[in-house]
Amino acid sequence: MAVTLNCDMGESFGLYRVGDDTGMMPIIDVANVACGFHASDPDHMHAAVRSAKASGVKIGAHPGLPDIQGFGRREMRMTREEVRNTIIYQVGALAGFLKAEGVELHHIKPHGSLYFMAMQQEAIAHGVCDAAEVFGVPLFGMTGTLHEKIYQGRGIPFVAEFYADLDYDASGKLILTRVHDAKDPAEMAERCVRAIREGEGTAEDGSFFPVRCETICVHSDTPNAIEIARAVRTAIAPWH
C-alpha cells in the first residue's frame, strides 16, 4: 500500500490566517479540512475545498471540539452521543461544500483533543465510529490505541497515521501541545522513513516504539510546515 502525505489545514478564521494552505496543496495527497468548531468558517472551508479540488488532493473532514479559543486542544467532558452529534454536525457542513464542488468525502479524522480522547476513552471512540458510519467513510488514527481496536472492531476502515512534526514519548504516545514548534525537516523525514521501513517510531528520548504507517501528517500551523512537508515527500518517494 502506498504511503500518503496528509495535512491538517483550512484552519484560518475570519481575518486570521493559520498556515499556508495554498503552498501546501501541491505537496500533499490528502487535506484534513477544519469544520468550524475548533477553527475555520464557511468562507475558509469553501476555499480549502476549492483549492484541494484544483490540486487533485483528496478531502477529509477534520472535526474538533467546540473550542475556537483553545483551538480544540483543550480536553472536554462529552458523552458518546454528544461526540457523535458534534461530528455529524461538522462533517455535514463540510459535506455541503463538497457537494457544491462535486467532490466526495474521503475520510474523517478528529482534531486535537478529540483525537486524543478517542485514543483513550471507549465512549469517545465509539462516538467517533457512530458518526463515521453515517457518512460511510474511513477513519484516520493511531496504531496501538483505541483508534485501531475500536474502529476496526466496528468494521470501519482504519488508516494508520504517523506524525512528521509532533514528538512521541517513550511509550509511543503523542505529546500534545497547544502550540506547535518548528522541527528540523531532515530529522523529521528520517523519522518517517524509519516508521515506514522499520515499523519503528522515534521517541523524544531517542528510543523506539512499534508503529504502522499508512499516512503521514504535517500540521499547517507548524511554523516551517512547508519545509517539513517537502522533505518528507522527497524521503518517502520510494513508498509513495
Side-chain angles (χ1 to χ4, degrees), residues 197-239:
R197 187 170 57 201
E198 310 296 337
E200 293 182 335
T202 305
E204 62 175 352
D205 65 358
S207 63
F208 303 109
F209 57 88
V211 72
R212 187 156 56 89
C213 175
E214 296 171 339
T215 189
I216 295 170
C217 177
V218 176
H219 293 83
S220 66
D221 65 314
T222 298
N224 60 335
I226 297 290
E227 290 77 11
I228 294 172
R230 285 177 178 154
V232 170
R233 184 62 179 262
T234 298
I236 69 172
W239 300 274

Side-chain angles (χ1 to χ4, degrees), residues 19-108:
D20 181 2
D21 290 356
T22 301
M24 187 67 78
M25 286 297 181
I27 308 171
I28 62 173
D29 304 294
V30 182
N32 311 309
V33 177
C35 300
F37 271 25
H38 77 276
S40 196
D41 58 32
D43 291 334
H44 286 104
M45 288 171 66
H46 193 194
V49 168
R50 285 185 298 185
S51 180
K53 178 183 177 181
S55 297
V57 171
K58 297 184 184 304
I59 303 169
H62 197 40
L65 297 175
D67 180 20
I68 287 179
Q69 186 174 8
F71 205 70
R73 291 175 180 160
R74 301 186 294 192
E75 188 168 328
M76 298 174 64
R77 292 192 179 208
M78 299 184 74
T79 66
R80 172 174 173 173
E81 184 175 14
E82 286 173 331
V83 169
R84 171 188 180 273
N85 291 341
T86 198
I87 293 175
I88 290 174
Y89 187 97
Q90 293 176 77
V91 179
L94 180 65
F97 290 114
L98 294 174
K99 185 173 182 179
E101 295 295 330
V103 180
E104 295 293 324
L105 178 67
H106 181 261
H107 69 279
I108 295 173

